[in-house]
Amino acid sequence: MIDIREQFPLLPLDKTLYAQKLGIKHPTDPKNKLPIIMTTDMLLTIKQEESIKFIAYFLRKLQENKMNYLVYQVGTACKS
């Protein structure tokens, strides 16, 4: 493990706005109507042999007032 980052932006905002071309509305702040920067709960950076691997996760509580979480792996990218 090289690094752990919390609330890491998924993509630069200008890249996520491409969803509009597909008819998908980007989330906006209800007060000021500006686009919201989407994040993942955790981004791990791992060194595997000669490459570096990035793994994004998000967590959801299973029950309120409990420490039970469901962990989803959002995606993986490699950098050689």
Side-chain angles (χ1 to χ4, degrees):
M1 178 96 46
I2 297 173
D3 193 22
I4 300 173
R5 290 173 264 184
E6 295 182 36
Q7 297 304 310
F8 190 79
L10 291 174
L11 292 171
L13 185 59
D14 62 329
K15 301 287 185 204
T16 60
L17 293 176
Y18 281 112
Q20 291 175 348
K21 293 180 181 179
L22 301 172
I24 301 168
K25 188 176 183 303
H26 189 90
T28 56
D29 184 298
K31 293 179 183 175
N32 61 22
K33 307 297 184 209
L34 293 174
I36 293 174
I37 297 173
M38 298 170 64
T39 63
T40 187
D41 292 324
M42 190 179 317
L43 181 69
L44 305 181
T45 307
I46 299 169
K47 184 169 183 172
Q48 282 188 325
E49 299 172 13
E50 297 301 316
S51 66
I52 295 176
K53 190 174 185 179
F54 301 95
I55 307 171
Y57 291 94
F58 74 90
L59 297 89
R60 293 295 170 256
K61 269 192 171 185
L62 292 174
Q63 294 177 321
E64 198 61 37
N65 301 321
K66 302 266 184 185
M67 294 302 289
N68 299 334
Y69 287 90
L70 189 57
V71 179
Y72 293 96
Q73 182 174 334
V74 179
T76 303
C78 289
K79 179 180 175 184
S80 298

